[in-house]
Amino acid sequence: MIKLRIGADQNSVTIELPAADEYLRSVLLHELHAASTYINRPTFVEEVDFPTQLNFIAGKQVNLDELNYLAKRLDSFTDDEMSQYFAAVQREGFRNMKSLINLTFNLDRYTLITDVSSPLAIGKKYTLNTEGAIPTDHSRDAEFDSLGRDIIAGRKGDLTEYGLLIVSDKPMEQYYDGKTFPLYDYYGSLLFVGIKYDEREEGVSIAEDPGSIITAINRLGAEKPSDCKAYILEYSPKLEPMMDRLREVLEKEGLMALSRVARKMYEGNIDAAELNAVADFAKVHSSANLITLADHLNKFEYMKDVLDEEDVGRYFVDEYDNGHTYQVSIEMEDYVDFRTFGTDMMEKYHGKFIEGGAVCFSNEYDMDILDELEPENENQSMGGMSFD
């Protein structure tokens, strides 16, 4: 976490980072009454509360967007990695955001030794940090011990307040070019889109933070989302059943419409297979109708993997629970006509078979949800359905 006080136009406020872009824009607008709500414009830092190692930005203008990205990167670090990071900052004298961000992707260049009494431990830690793994047995202990002794004898490394910092010969990779951020999945995101404007391109998570798109197009130099080209970049496997619909929303309605659907699915923890099945049932595709269905999924019953009326009958006996009770003892199952029962339930609750199962209304009174659906073309009735 980074905690600091920022100011604008004789107003100031304390904020904690990382934070959602939408929140930061709101702070600039409502708390600071700033002339610009673009978080990638210079913002004055009055004071840094935490971490104290970033005190050097106090009294200076910083790009709040960059600082927030840095906070997201640091938020993933262990205590040992934080010490390693700030030891490297101290050694290298980094003071600008571009270097500070790139350093988070280059920690394997730096090995921090806090105990120099054991050559074996030094050799192991250096190898683990630079190579990413060491054997769990003792097969290479002699090699590690020799390496540790060479490090001590050669007086390699620089003494910092955190310990002995050893810098490898690896070059510092420039992941951040000072313009567009490297793709980083801070939220464990549902959906990433690639956004391109002129020669710049960036991957953006759009479900968890609704303000991320506006901030991204500002970084790219565009004025509005429609100025950019967008495409699906990465997505969680949880979204797989909905991906064809989400791609269709992006193609026909644009990036902001896709963001609204993704946001709704994230906030409501919506099951993609269930929403896709209900959308098939209602024959809808638009973002507005998908959001309406997501808001009212409890008005539908999704019977996954049922193949016919007999399966429906067994579903209502075994799994259906909406204030109704249909119970049959195991001894009586051979005497029950599940197919007829399933046919009656499909008729009663206006059920339809879809790919991968069936969907019906949860009860006889839930059909009013159709009145809330928007017509999707001139040839469709409300919601694209009719039960006349």
Side-chain angles (χ1 to χ4, degrees):
M1 180 186 73
I2 297 176
K3 184 177 181 181
L4 70 164
R5 192 162 191 83
I6 59 175
D9 301 330
Q10 298 182 336
N11 299 304
S12 62
V13 64
T14 298
I15 61 172
E16 295 180 357
L17 304 176
D21 292 356
E22 189 173 72
Y23 164 76
L24 294 178
R25 192 170 291 109
S26 175
V27 165
L28 293 173
L29 177 65
H30 299 293
E31 300 291 336
L32 295 182
H33 308 291
S36 172
T37 58
Y38 292 153
I39 68 174
N40 53 356
R41 300 280 177 84
T43 301
F44 183 72
V45 177
E46 295 183 352
E47 182 181 8
V48 176
D49 292 336
F50 182 85
T52 58
Q53 293 93 332
L54 291 178
N55 278 338
F56 58 82
I57 66 174
K60 298 179 180 179
Q61 299 275 359
V62 301
N63 182 310
L64 195 57
D65 193 19
E66 290 182 320
L67 188 59
N68 195 38
Y69 185 85
L70 175 64
K72 291 176 182 178
R73 293 287 300 162
L74 295 181
D75 196 39
S76 68
F77 286 2
T78 65
D79 289 344
D80 288 345
E81 287 172 330
M82 286 291 282
S83 296
Q84 184 181 351
Y85 177 81
F86 283 116
V89 170
Q90 185 180 95
R91 191 261 188 190
E92 303 289 4
F94 290 149
R95 290 295 183 268
N96 64 76
M97 284 297 151
K98 179 181 176 182
S99 297
L100 292 170
I101 289 172
N102 277 317
L103 180 58
T104 66
F105 292 96
N106 285 273
L107 278 189
D108 59 346
R109 292 189 73 236
Y110 304 90
T111 301
L112 183 63
I113 307 295
T114 56
D115 180 6
V116 297
S117 62
S118 169
L120 175 61
I122 293 173
K124 279 188 172 183
K125 188 160 188 178
Y126 181 82
T127 304
L128 178 62
N129 191 69
T130 56
E131 297 183 9
I134 58 174
T136 56
D137 57 25
H138 301 286
S139 59
R140 294 179 60 189
D141 279 4
E143 176 187 341
F144 296 143
D145 184 80
S146 176
L147 175 60
R149 293 181 186 279
D150 288 343
I151 290 173
I152 296 172
R155 295 185 178 181
K156 296 180 180 179
D158 297 279
L159 190 61
T160 72
E161 63 181 274
Y162 305 92
L164 184 66
L165 187 71
I166 303 168
V167 185
S168 74
D169 295 331
K170 294 180 180 179
M172 174 76 79
E173 299 289 344
Q174 299 298 307
Y175 290 86
Y176 176 46
D177 61 4
K179 297 177 181 178
T180 57
F181 293 141
L183 185 66
Y184 177 55
D185 190 2
Y186 173 71
Y187 293 104
S189 299
L190 282 180
L191 182 64
F192 279 97
V193 295
I195 305 177
K196 185 175 183 179
Y197 179 72
D198 287 342
E199 298 303 316
R200 296 183 184 178
E201 191 168 357
E202 185 170 323
V204 181
S205 169
I206 67 168
E208 293 76 13
D209 181 1
S212 62
I213 293 176
I214 300 301
T215 305
I217 67 169
N218 293 158
R219 273 196 302 272
L220 294 170
E223 293 185 2
K224 54 186 182 296
S226 58
D227 293 336
C228 306
K229 294 181 179 179
Y231 57 93
I232 303 294
L233 183 61
E234 293 183 10
Y235 58 88
S236 166
K238 296 178 182 178
L239 285 186
E240 183 62 47
M242 278 288 294
M243 287 314 301
D244 285 345
R245 293 185 187 279
L246 295 179
R247 292 187 181 96
E248 183 179 3
V249 168
L250 178 60
E251 178 183 351
K252 294 183 177 180
E253 301 182 56
L255 183 55
M256 299 309 291
L258 175 65
S259 176
R260 288 190 290 271
V261 177
R263 178 69 174 174
K264 175 59 65 174
M265 296 185 69
Y266 169 73
E267 288 181 332
N269 195 25
I270 301 298
D271 181 271
E274 182 177 6
L275 179 57
N276 187 63
V278 171
D280 276 351
F281 173 76
K283 298 180 181 178
V284 297
H285 300 269
S286 71
S287 62
N289 284 336
L290 291 174
I291 289 172
T292 299
L293 293 180
D295 282 332
H296 297 283
L297 277 182
N298 63 323
K299 293 191 174 186
F300 300 90
E301 191 71 19
Y302 171 40
M303 295 169 278
K304 184 178 181 181
D305 296 331
V306 302
L307 301 177
D308 54 27
E309 286 78 2
E310 180 176 349
D311 286 344
V312 172
R314 292 185 179 278
Y315 178 91
F316 272 87
V317 169
D318 297 335
E319 300 184 46
Y320 186 63
D321 181 16
N322 193 41
H324 303 280
T325 302
Y326 303 99
Q327 294 182 341
V328 176
S329 65
I330 296 178
E331 293 81 3
M332 294 296 295
E333 282 195 0
D334 290 342
Y335 302 95
V336 175
D337 185 350
F338 285 103
R339 182 174 295 277
T340 298
F341 179 55
T343 300
D344 290 345
M345 291 298 98
M346 290 287 276
E347 181 177 349
K348 180 179 181 179
Y349 297 119
H350 303 287
K352 287 187 177 182
F353 288 100
I354 58 163
E355 183 177 355
V359 175
C360 66
F361 292 103
S362 293
N363 60 57
E364 304 98 307
Y365 313 105
D366 283 335
M367 286 181 59
D368 59 357
I369 181 58
L370 298 184
D371 296 331
E372 299 184 31
L373 298 178
E374 300 177 357
E376 299 211 354
N377 60 56
E378 295 179 355
N379 298 320
Q380 286 182 325
S381 60
M382 187 66 71
M385 299 186 67
S386 174
F387 292 101
D388 296 336

